[in-house]
Amino acid sequence: MASNKHTIVALVADRPGVLNRMASLFRRRGFNIDSIAVGHSETPHLSRMTIVAEGSDTQVEQIRKQVEKIVDVIRVQDISGLNIVSRELALIKVKSTPETRSEIMQIVDIFRAKIVDVSADSVMVEATGDEEKVDSLYNLLKPFGVKEISRTGRIAMARGDQGNRRDENEG
Amino acid sequence: MKLTGAQILCESLLKEGVDTIFGYPGGQVLPLYHTLTQYPKLRHILVRHEQGAVHAADAYARVTGRVGVCFATSGPGATNLITGLANAYIDSVPMVAVTGQVPRAMIGRDAFQEADITGITIPITKHNYLVMDIGDLARTVKEAFYIAGTGRPGPVLIDLPRDIQQEATEFHYPARVNLPGYKPTLAGNPLQVKKAAKLLAEAKKPVLIAGHGVRISGAYHELKHLAETLQLPVITTLLGISAFPESHELSFGMMGMHGSAYANMAITGCDLIIAVGMRFDDRATGKIAAFAPHARVIHIDIDPAEIGKNVKVDVPIVGDVKTVLVELNKEISAKRHDEWLAQIRDWKRQYPSGFEIRESDSILPQYVIRKIWEVTKGDATVVTGVGQHQMFAAQHFFYDKPNSFITSGGLGTMGFELPAAFGAQTGLPGQTVWCIAGDGSFQMTVQELGTIRQENAPVKVAVINNGYLGMVRQWQELFYERNYSATPLWCPDFVRISEAYSIPAECVTKKTEVVPAINRAMAAQGPYIINFVVEPEENVYPMVPPGAGIDQILHEPRKEAS
């Protein structure tokens, strides 16, 4: 993973337009979002967002502080420096023939991915893992002919209690 | 008893202590305007353009310290608020703007006069709401006022569909807000405050920079105590003007692009900056790489995102300026910096240019401002637009009265002055408000003379008329080989314009007539307008060229009196 990629996790109120506010802030401040993933959190009416963005530490610190100012954002943390688990989900539709199918299945097995659909001339693979794993799998499947790929973007969580740290009154 | 949405809004405004609303009606706020007449305690002032409403609410908020309120209808009414919302946002002004929206069932269908105003205003409001359930309305108003007026203040927009204004429900105004994501820090971290006190005790050449935060927080007394105890030279930002009395021996004026040479030299030469409620705007700092190269920096600000945004900070203190200064003042003991202050005073003797008015047969804009200061004895609130006249008003009126300089700082909004002067006058009835206008800036919102006349607001207007878009022309002269592209400005007869609005006015072309005219304006019961025809190519000095360090100062070239 490139050192200037940051993983920011935000707990946000589950209100219409929150994603727009977040995306708008990144755009306004000139930050590129690599990926953004949102879903329900453990608390009703709160969602958790994982944002992957590129920038220097100072830039990302600034963006974190700006994100924190959004009224609908309850908490935000840059977890890049922590020991984290990060995953993304990908669905990959690969061309297959009776001749290539078993080879594809072998590759899928090695990556502990799954075949979730089979048709006459293609198979659909479901893969979970960090970006590198999904990238590697994709690269190996490419020669067979990838018809379609859909990736979720990263979701991440710090291991143990690290994620619960709150930044006190500092700059 | 059930109340309609429009009634709930009015009741909620009363609960928030609102007594003045600046606005403009239209189709999608008709139920609200229909209801407004049942609430005589809510004084609604009809402006001539929604931009006038938002600037008036802005200045009203700045002079009173309360949340300014404005109304507009949907679509074009709402989008006409944009400039004023952006202005209030960047200058941290507490405001609640209520816009009408098409009925819920029509939202998203490109209905007549529909605009996605919450979407549009996300980057220029502190927060905004589209109310889709009448049950949320009272809570929304409560939250909006709380968010607008606390922490770093800012504008909050409430978009209210027309059918919600008409629907009815029980009215319960919440006693408190519950916003888990919004908890402004008010008290400074005690350890950081101690660290700041230690740095201040060690510094040999310290400088205090006072910004808008001092005024917003009302920390005049605390700031003065800090400056006097430690004998700190006090320099202000543009919006920090009137945070510290300029007649004080420790006052060294404004910093930045058109700041005093000695203020900029003091900052460049200092070993410690204590920045209080300011945000290191590029117009204040010049080129960041050359800014205060020898200084450690203590930065006090209520907005954590301001700290370290532009300038590296050694001691960050997040908190309300007044609260933090009270704590800091407990940690300090008296100190002197005689040599350092003598050095700055020496710079002041060497480089006074821009603050001295040279002799001229024609009227110099600086002369007009200085005379307004003399005639009013400084007892006036000065409201400006944006351009040369703004900088002259910053440099040549001396502000001793707290919070007496109202200007569009961050956004630089031309046309701010007239509606803002009206708004300030509304907040300060019985006090003298001078609107210093540029001929270009004035024409951007000149229609608000109608509002001033209708309300008989005794605003005194000085148009500094040089027949140019003066500041742009100055840049063209200095940096674009005098290529005056699109800056010569034909002006209408401002006296006849004023007369058309039934406002007494006069045109002054002779220097000897400047003071008598100002006196006549002061003696007039209501509004009064003076068109001062000034030297067309006078420039604002000193000046730091854009992109240069603030010590790279252009001084006024010595002109021989002809």
Side-chain angles (χ1 to χ4, degrees):
Chain A
M1 185 170 67
S3 63
N4 56 353
K5 266 198 187 178
H6 287 254
T7 306
I8 297 161
V9 175
L11 194 64
V12 305
D14 197 1
R15 293 218 183 94
V18 175
L19 187 59
N20 186 4
R21 278 178 209 285
M22 189 71 90
S24 169
L25 182 93
F26 276 76
R27 179 197 52 75
R28 146 89 180 91
R29 301 273 168 189
F31 280 84
N32 234 344
I33 299 179
D34 268 24
S35 83
I36 189 163
V38 203
H40 294 301
S41 74
E42 67 285 358
T43 316
H45 313 300
L46 294 183
S47 298
R48 186 163 272 116
M49 278 188 196
T50 309
I51 302 153
V52 182
E54 231 168 288
S56 69
D57 289 356
T58 337
Q59 285 173 315
V60 173
E61 176 63 3
Q62 170 63 203
I63 202 80
R64 187 192 64 77
K65 287 173 171 178
Q66 295 290 353
V67 166
E68 199 146 67
K69 281 163 66 174
I70 298 176
V71 172
D72 289 332
V73 172
I74 314 297
R75 195 163 66 228
V76 55
Q77 204 183 1
D78 179 357
I79 60 170
S80 318
L82 307 181
N83 187 359
I84 63 173
V85 175
S86 77
R87 292 287 183 270
E88 72 169 68
L89 174 70
L91 292 175
I92 309 168
K93 199 182 282 173
V94 194
K95 280 187 196 161
S96 73
T97 59
E99 292 77 48
T100 61
R101 193 170 291 149
S102 65
E103 199 182 336
I104 292 172
M105 284 171 74
Q106 275 178 24
I107 294 170
V108 166
D109 265 355
I110 294 165
F111 279 84
R112 272 182 260 167
K114 272 191 283 189
I115 291 184
V116 289
D117 187 48
V118 181
S119 71
D121 56 358
S122 72
V123 294
M124 195 196 294
V125 180
E126 174 199 309
T128 326
D130 55 22
E131 288 97 313
E132 287 79 359
K133 175 178 162 182
V134 176
D135 286 346
S136 311
L137 176 61
Y138 172 67
N139 287 331
L140 285 171
L141 294 177
K142 234 175 3 188
F144 298 98
V146 171
K147 292 162 76 94
E148 214 177 311
I149 180 163
S150 185
R151 299 171 72 155
T152 58
R154 184 190 300 176
I155 59 165
M157 205 177 269
R159 291 179 194 271
D161 284 336
Q162 301 170 97
N164 303 327
R165 171 177 69 89
R166 266 230 73 166
D167 294 316
E168 282 312 313
N169 179 24
E170 38 88 80
Chain B
M1 197 183 73
K2 287 191 172 180
L3 299 185
T4 65
Q7 286 170 322
I8 288 172
L9 178 66
C10 291
E11 293 287 343
S12 304
L13 293 177
L14 288 176
K15 294 269 188 201
E16 292 297 331
V18 173
D19 54 20
T20 308
I21 297 154
F22 304 91
Y24 206 101
Q28 304 304 344
V29 277
L30 272 173
L32 178 55
Y33 273 85
H34 176 65
T35 302
L36 213 45
T37 54
Q38 300 164 17
Y39 290 86
K41 281 186 185 161
L42 296 173
R43 175 189 177 197
H44 179 273
I45 295 169
L46 174 68
V47 293
R48 295 300 178 270
H49 184 289
E50 287 86 352
Q51 189 183 351
V54 65
H55 289 328
D58 176 319
Y60 178 89
R62 292 194 207 209
V63 299
T64 61
R66 299 163 63 188
V67 177
V69 180
C70 60
F71 286 178
T73 190
S74 66
T79 55
N80 279 345
L81 297 178
I82 297 301
T83 304
L85 288 170
N87 188 80
Y89 183 61
I90 200 163
D91 282 353
S92 312
V93 178
M95 182 189 294
V96 169
V98 180
T99 49
Q101 183 54 276
V102 299
R104 277 170 294 178
M106 293 169 80
I107 290 177
R109 295 167 186 256
D110 298 324
F112 178 66
Q113 293 196 328
E114 184 195 355
D116 171 20
I117 198 64
T118 41
I120 292 169
T121 57
I122 282 174
I124 53 163
T125 51
K126 191 171 170 187
H127 194 51
N128 64 22
Y129 295 90
L130 168 61
V131 181
M132 290 296 277
D133 183 336
I134 191 168
D136 293 337
L137 180 54
R139 178 186 55 79
T140 299
V141 179
K142 176 85 187 173
E143 286 180 6
F145 274 83
Y146 180 70
I147 291 168
T150 54
R152 177 180 180 171
V156 178
L157 181 135
I158 301 172
D159 200 23
L160 201 53
R162 196 183 65 202
D163 57 325
I164 289 195
Q165 297 168 42
Q166 291 161 317
E167 214 179 301
T169 190
E170 293 291 334
F171 174 62
H172 299 290
Y173 203 61
R176 53 177 55 88
V177 295
N178 176 25
L179 291 164
Y182 180 75
K183 296 250 172 351
T185 306
L186 298 181
N189 179 311
L191 272 176
Q192 298 292 84
V193 171
K194 280 201 170 63
K195 262 195 229 169
K198 186 160 175 282
L199 279 193
L200 283 163
E202 289 165 2
K204 300 222 159 31
K205 296 191 274 183
V207 159
L208 190 159
I209 303 176
H212 197 195
V214 178
R215 297 170 58 185
I216 295 169
S217 167
Y220 308 102
H221 173 74
E222 291 74 13
L223 186 83
K224 207 166 151 199
H225 181 85
L226 176 72
E228 286 174 348
T229 311
L230 293 173
Q231 288 291 295
L232 303 171
V234 179
I235 290 163
T236 72
T237 64
L238 176 69
L239 283 177
I241 288 177
S242 75
F244 187 75
E246 292 196 86
S247 61
H248 197 287
E249 54 164 10
L250 289 170
S251 168
F252 291 94
M254 178 175 76
M255 68 191 287
M257 183 173 272
H258 292 296
S260 64
Y262 41 91
N264 287 344
M265 292 165 91
I267 287 169
T268 306
C270 75
D271 64 358
L272 178 70
I273 285 173
I274 173 160
V276 186
M278 57 92 76
R279 56 186 185 86
F280 295 100
D281 176 84
D282 56 281
R283 283 294 191 269
T285 61
K287 187 167 81 181
I288 287 288
F291 179 74
H294 318 294
R296 304 234 259 171
V297 178
I298 301 165
H299 189 183
I300 304 170
D301 204 289
I302 197 156
D303 181 354
E306 283 308 332
I307 293 177
K309 185 181 78 178
N310 297 332
V311 164
K312 202 181 148 292
V313 173
D314 299 280
V315 180
I317 307 179
V318 177
D320 168 62
V321 163
K322 188 171 177 170
T323 314
V324 172
L325 289 185
V326 166
E327 292 304 317
L328 181 58
N329 281 337
K330 288 181 197 158
E331 301 287 334
I332 56 166
S333 43
K335 223 190 140 183
R336 299 198 66 80
H337 300 100
D338 295 334
E339 236 175 275
W340 172 232
L341 287 169
Q343 165 76 78
I344 305 173
R345 288 195 183 106
D346 190 45
W347 283 329
K348 188 170 176 175
R349 270 188 298 276
Q350 271 180 276
Y351 307 103
S353 61
F355 295 87
E356 248 185 6
I357 300 173
R358 70 189 150 74
E359 281 307 308
S360 165
D361 286 335
S362 52
I363 304 173
L364 291 174
Q366 302 93 316
Y367 180 81
V368 175
I369 308 287
R370 191 64 66 85
K371 291 302 162 187
I372 294 173
W373 173 67
E374 284 176 12
V375 169
T376 59
K377 299 182 181 69
D379 186 16
T381 295
V382 172
V383 184
T384 82
V386 169
Q388 284 187 323
H389 70 277
Q390 174 190 33
M391 291 302 137
F392 288 132
Q395 293 177 339
H396 293 277
F397 193 101
F398 300 105
Y399 300 87
D400 275 350
K401 208 168 86 163
N403 202 28
S404 55
F405 180 62
I406 307 295
T407 198
S408 164
L411 196 66
T413 307
M414 282 175 73
F416 176 75
E417 65 267 56
L418 194 60
F422 169 70
Q425 186 76 75
T426 308
L428 301 170
Q431 296 190 41
T432 305
V433 173
W434 269 92
C435 170
I436 311 289
D439 48 333
S441 196
F442 185 58
Q443 287 184 70
M444 283 200 173
T445 49
V446 68
Q447 74 283 355
E448 295 309 326
L449 287 175
T451 311
I452 287 173
R453 174 71 286 163
Q454 189 164 351
E455 298 295 325
N456 197 28
V459 175
K460 314 300 175 192
V461 182
V463 182
I464 309 295
N465 184 348
N466 58 10
Y468 280 109
L469 300 176
M471 190 59 94
V472 185
R473 187 209 56 74
Q474 175 170 340
W475 284 45
Q476 289 171 334
E477 177 187 330
L478 297 175
F479 312 118
Y480 293 88
E481 299 89 36
R482 295 181 81 95
N483 180 17
Y484 292 170
S485 173
T487 42
L489 180 71
W490 178 88
C491 291
D493 181 337
F494 289 130
V495 173
R496 287 174 67 190
I497 292 263
S498 308
E499 281 167 355
Y501 280 104
S502 300
I503 295 176
E506 62 179 296
C507 182
V508 176
T509 55
K510 288 199 193 74
K511 201 173 164 181
T512 51
E513 270 303 298
V514 170
V515 171
I518 296 168
N519 277 318
R520 283 189 288 275
M522 290 295 288
Q525 291 297 305
Y528 198 91
I529 292 171
I530 311 170
N531 177 32
F532 289 104
V533 178
V534 301
E535 182 107 342
E537 296 193 47
E538 185 61 17
N539 287 337
V540 184
Y541 286 108
M543 178 180 191
V544 174
I550 51 168
D551 59 333
Q552 292 174 268
I553 300 150
L554 298 180
H555 296 278
E556 175 166 27
R558 283 286 142 198
K559 292 177 190 164
E560 296 303 319
S562 52

